[in-house]
Amino acid sequence: MFGSYAVMKGERRMYEELIAEMNPRPKFNLQWYKNEDLYSDGEVEDFIIKIIAENRPEDYSNAVYEQFNWPIYYHLSPLRKNILNWYKFKPDSSVLEIGCGMGAITNVLCDECKDVTAVELSRKRATATLLRCREKENLEIIVGNLNDIEFEKKFDYITLIGVLEYQGTYTESTNPYMDFLVKIKQLLKPDGKLLVAIENQYGLKYWCGMPEDHVGIPFEGINQYRDVERGVRTFSKTALDTLIKESGFHNTYFYYPYPDYKLPTVIYSQDVLPSKKDTINSENFRDYSSADKNTLIANEKKLYMDIVENGVFEFFANSFLVECSDSSQLGEITFARLTSERKEQYRMATRFTRDSTVEKKPLTMLCAQTHVRQLFKNVNILKQAGIKIVEYRADNGMVVSDYIEKPLLEDVILNALKEGNTDEIYRLIDLMYGEILRSSEQISWKDNILYTLDLGIEENEELFGPILKIGFLDMSFRNAFYCEGEILWFDQEWVLEAVPAKFILYYVLTWLYYSYPQLEEGCPAAEIIARYHMQDACEAFEKFRELFGYLVSDEAQVMMGRAFSIDSTMDYISNVKKLMK
């Protein structure tokens, strides 16, 4: 399948020469290597190394899109970093990364910690990590089996991302999983932390028929791995917690990466679990595990409503990320949302802390230099216009605010719908539109941005209403608290110049009705459109809304993610019928 990806011997020599020139950049330690790579994705790994060697990490998406398949996407997607790029590491710390693979997370560790030691069994994959992190001077890569390596120091953090489940193969003992964890604990400082990411043996995707990630057989984990002997297994939440504590760790804190730990976009925790609203309306859901639809018998996404409402999300979560330590100071971050499917300059992590702050952390240097600065600028512009907005402060490159315990305007509208109070819904929408109009001075109708874009829209003085000099596209029902009859705004990231005020209203109403189709019963969208005289402008507004999405999103990432999204009812029905034969 991957024959066309084979890298010529001359290219391999070129990469070896490049590695030789790296001194004193990352150290490449072969002392413990036994001249044998025990696992591989095949020749495709050579092609991945070629992409890494010839591109900046920020440019991987386009290169991957040109030769798109699961192994390439999995190893090089920026979403891989999301398992740890939100985590709050101590800046002067040392970290041991066990099983660094092809370096998907190693760069994050190098950026966050003082020094990083990465261990990898496969020399080829370790070479990929070396090339991927070639600018990092605080990294040593050791090729070999952890069980053979003798370390001269202890670490503040150790990471096991997709590693623990394989210890039945790589740790020779009667109890390999526990013995492996016991050995690891000896490498930690007294207050050090182990971070374990692993699939849940009883993850919801497996109940829906998705093949078990490691053995490729549907329901194999649920059936207790009775049909295979491959030295690999995962655990339930209770079994994993017990295993970790019996290995000597006194305390654990569970996170739930969504949709799984491989390519997460949201990080829930034992303190902040998903609500019905979070799960069933999430645009972040992707079934990345497999493109094979032949064994699926249920729609995972549509089951989450019941899973959440019945309080069993923790049992059915697809993956765990566990913080393990003798220290009781765990769970400093209780929730994180990542936007790595955006273009480089817009990628951020929003994280909630235990000390009641909300932090917006840029995930790229370009984001820190541009988007974060724009957010602070937006706050000042709104304040000058007399709009109430949450107070923000800069802290170590992040945008920080206090956590506010007030209802969202969105929730107030939903409560009014539940009570059948349509007049209140209209009043709240009127209130929001008034805020949109007050947010900026108005300019000539001829300066309308819709006329300057190549959208084929005819100029019309009356059609689009007031034109704002600056339009804040985040003046949405979800980005507003409702406080004693007034709106308090937050997260005002996006601005466009010369925007119709009615477009902003149309834009935020579109998302509201998409998220809550039940609004149609009490307040039909057509009535809202007519109320604000937008009937004849909707077609133009829709064109502009789609264009804005392209301006923000990393289109290659979005398209590749959709390729692994499985949402066909007919596939489920067909597979169920097969079971009935």
Side-chain angles (χ1 to χ4, degrees):
M1 178 178 178
F2 301 114
S4 61
Y5 298 149
V7 179
M8 301 298 290
K9 291 182 179 179
E11 290 179 318
R12 286 200 182 96
R13 284 197 298 271
M14 179 183 69
Y15 302 147
E16 290 172 358
E17 291 172 1
L18 179 60
I19 291 170
E21 295 172 359
M22 287 182 184
N23 190 42
R25 294 279 169 86
K27 298 177 182 177
F28 199 59
N29 186 339
L30 294 171
Q31 177 183 354
W32 309 98
Y33 182 53
K34 296 182 178 179
N35 297 311
E36 182 182 14
D37 289 359
L38 299 179
Y39 57 85
S40 171
D41 281 335
E43 291 181 349
V44 69
E45 291 189 357
D46 291 322
F47 187 74
I48 294 172
I49 292 174
K50 177 179 172 66
I51 292 176
I52 291 171
E54 297 178 355
N55 295 275
R56 298 186 316 143
E58 293 78 10
D59 298 328
Y60 290 165
S61 291
N62 290 333
V64 171
Y65 190 61
E66 292 174 1
Q67 297 282 355
F68 176 56
N69 59 42
W70 170 251
I72 298 174
Y73 177 63
Y74 170 71
H75 285 293
L76 297 181
S77 170
L79 274 67
R80 287 288 306 282
K81 300 178 183 179
N82 288 352
I83 190 60
L84 287 180
N85 59 8
W86 54 273
Y87 187 81
K88 189 173 286 190
F89 291 94
K90 294 185 294 185
D92 60 345
S93 60
S94 61
V95 58
L96 172 62
E97 182 186 16
I98 301 174
C100 64
M102 303 189 86
I105 302 163
T106 312
N107 262 317
V108 172
L109 299 175
C110 290
D111 290 340
E112 297 290 333
C113 304
K114 182 178 180 181
D115 65 82
V116 178
T117 302
V119 175
E120 172 54 45
L121 269 168
S122 163
R123 179 173 180 172
K124 183 180 287 188
R125 292 193 176 190
T127 300
T129 299
L130 183 63
L131 290 167
R132 200 166 187 171
C133 303
R134 51 187 176 267
E135 300 299 321
K136 306 300 181 183
E137 298 184 7
N138 61 337
L139 170 64
E140 178 181 8
I141 301 169
I142 302 176
V143 185
N145 188 324
L146 178 88
N147 294 306
D148 300 330
I149 300 171
E150 297 177 5
F151 295 93
E152 297 179 354
K153 65 177 182 180
K154 295 191 175 184
F155 300 88
D156 296 290
Y157 301 95
I158 296 177
T159 67
L160 292 178
I161 311 301
V163 171
L164 177 61
E165 57 266 42
Y166 291 102
Q167 293 318 303
T169 298
Y170 300 112
T171 298
E172 296 182 3
S173 76
T174 56
N175 197 344
Y177 302 99
M178 182 179 295
D179 291 344
F180 184 66
L181 290 174
V182 169
K183 177 179 177 64
I184 285 173
K185 191 173 189 298
Q186 296 170 353
L187 298 174
L188 276 174
K189 294 179 181 179
D191 60 346
K193 296 177 180 178
L194 169 66
L195 300 172
V196 180
I198 188 172
E199 294 88 352
N200 177 8
Q201 180 179 356
Y202 299 111
L204 182 58
K205 65 181 181 182
Y206 294 144
W207 294 97
C208 292
M210 184 66 65
E212 203 277 349
D213 284 42
H214 309 91
V215 301
I217 301 174
F219 306 106
E220 183 60 19
I222 295 171
N223 286 325
Q224 309 301 310
Y225 298 95
R226 291 173 181 168
D227 297 326
V228 296
E229 294 183 3
R230 297 195 186 180
V232 60
R233 66 154 301 159
T234 56
F235 306 89
S236 67
K237 178 190 173 182
T238 299
L240 182 59
D241 189 50
T242 300
L243 171 65
I244 292 168
K245 289 178 178 175
E246 289 183 351
S247 301
F249 293 91
H250 294 162
N251 299 299
T252 58
Y253 187 88
F254 273 74
Y255 291 100
Y256 305 97
Y258 178 87
D260 63 20
Y261 86 82
K262 293 183 176 68
L263 298 154
T265 51
V266 184
I267 308 293
Y268 295 106
S269 75
Q270 62 187 54
D271 287 318
V272 179
L273 296 172
S275 68
K276 173 181 172 182
K277 176 173 64 177
D278 291 332
T279 53
I280 64 172
N281 294 313
S282 174
E283 284 299 295
N284 298 312
F285 182 88
R286 294 285 186 272
D287 205 333
Y288 289 112
S289 304
S290 172
D292 183 4
K293 305 178 183 181
N294 295 325
T295 60
L296 294 179
I297 57 173
N299 187 319
E300 179 185 344
K301 181 178 180 180
K302 293 181 179 179
L303 288 173
Y304 269 110
M305 181 190 301
D306 284 343
I307 295 294
V308 170
E309 287 184 340
N310 284 281
V312 291
F313 173 80
E314 293 177 277
F315 179 82
F316 286 103
N318 282 328
S319 295
F320 307 122
L321 173 66
V322 194
E323 196 177 20
C324 321
S325 180
D326 288 345
S327 169
S328 60
Q329 295 180 347
L330 301 179
E332 185 175 358
I333 304 297
T334 59
F335 174 82
R337 186 177 298 277
L338 300 312
T339 59
S340 295
E341 286 188 350
R342 293 179 182 175
K343 292 180 179 176
E344 177 190 355
Q345 63 267 39
Y346 304 128
R347 293 175 187 166
M348 299 187 75
T350 300
R351 62 190 192 186
F352 288 63
T353 71
R354 188 167 295 284
D355 59 0
S356 297
T357 61
V358 181
E359 302 173 344
K360 299 187 77 68
K361 176 187 176 185
L363 298 179
T364 67
M365 184 62 68
L366 186 58
C367 180
Q369 295 170 344
T370 57
H371 197 54
V372 168
R373 291 179 182 178
Q374 183 65 52
L375 195 153
F376 278 114
K377 184 178 179 180
N378 294 346
V379 170
N380 292 330
I381 292 172
L382 287 170
K383 283 183 177 179
Q384 292 172 9
I387 301 295
K388 291 189 174 183
I389 187 167
V390 168
E391 292 290 335
Y392 290 97
R393 58 188 180 274
D395 184 1
N396 195 28
M398 297 183 296
V399 182
V400 182
S401 65
D402 293 332
Y403 178 78
I404 296 176
E405 195 81 44
K406 295 290 184 181
L408 295 178
L409 182 58
E410 177 181 88
D411 293 330
V412 177
I413 286 177
L414 293 177
N415 287 335
L417 177 68
K418 186 176 180 180
E419 296 170 358
N421 191 347
T422 55
D423 288 341
E424 176 67 0
I425 295 175
Y426 286 129
R427 186 189 73 80
L428 292 170
I429 295 175
D430 287 344
L431 178 63
M432 165 174 275
Y433 187 52
E435 293 272 290
I436 292 172
L437 289 171
R438 287 199 306 120
S439 66
S440 171
E441 64 180 279
Q442 298 177 15
I443 58 177
S444 169
W445 69 272
K446 292 185 178 180
D447 295 326
N448 187 345
I449 190 173
L450 297 179
Y451 303 146
T452 63
L453 301 171
D454 187 19
L455 297 176
I457 297 173
E458 182 179 350
E459 294 187 12
N460 185 320
E461 183 175 1
E462 304 296 330
L463 183 60
F464 298 110
I467 309 301
L468 303 179
K469 183 177 181 180
I470 299 175
F472 293 85
L473 297 183
D474 275 331
M475 295 189 83
S476 71
F477 302 92
R478 191 168 291 184
N479 285 356
F481 297 112
Y482 190 64
C483 310
E484 299 176 352
E486 294 185 313
I487 295 177
L488 177 65
W489 299 96
F490 63 94
D491 279 3
Q492 296 302 301
E493 295 185 44
W494 306 105
V495 294
L496 289 172
E497 297 180 355
V499 177
K502 289 182 181 179
F503 168 74
I504 297 176
L505 182 63
Y506 173 87
Y507 182 80
V508 299
L509 282 169
T510 297
W511 283 112
L512 182 69
Y513 276 74
Y514 173 80
S515 298
Y516 305 103
Q518 64 267 34
L519 281 166
E520 279 287 351
E521 300 174 9
C523 295
E527 291 185 9
I528 299 289
I529 294 296
R531 182 183 181 90
Y532 293 98
H533 308 290
M534 294 190 289
Q535 304 95 314
D536 297 329
C538 285
E539 183 178 351
F541 285 167
E542 189 60 26
K543 288 182 180 179
F544 188 42
R545 188 180 73 85
E546 292 178 359
L547 177 62
F548 177 71
Y550 288 122
L551 294 175
V552 172
S553 299
D554 182 338
E555 188 176 357
Q557 281 295 319
V558 172
M559 294 298 292
M560 289 185 287
R562 287 175 181 170
F564 293 106
S565 179
I566 300 175
D567 195 24
S568 172
T569 301
M570 295 306 298
D571 288 325
Y572 307 124
I573 293 174
S574 175
N575 293 336
V576 170
K577 286 181 177 179
K578 293 176 187 176
L579 295 174
M580 298 171 64
K581 291 181 179 180

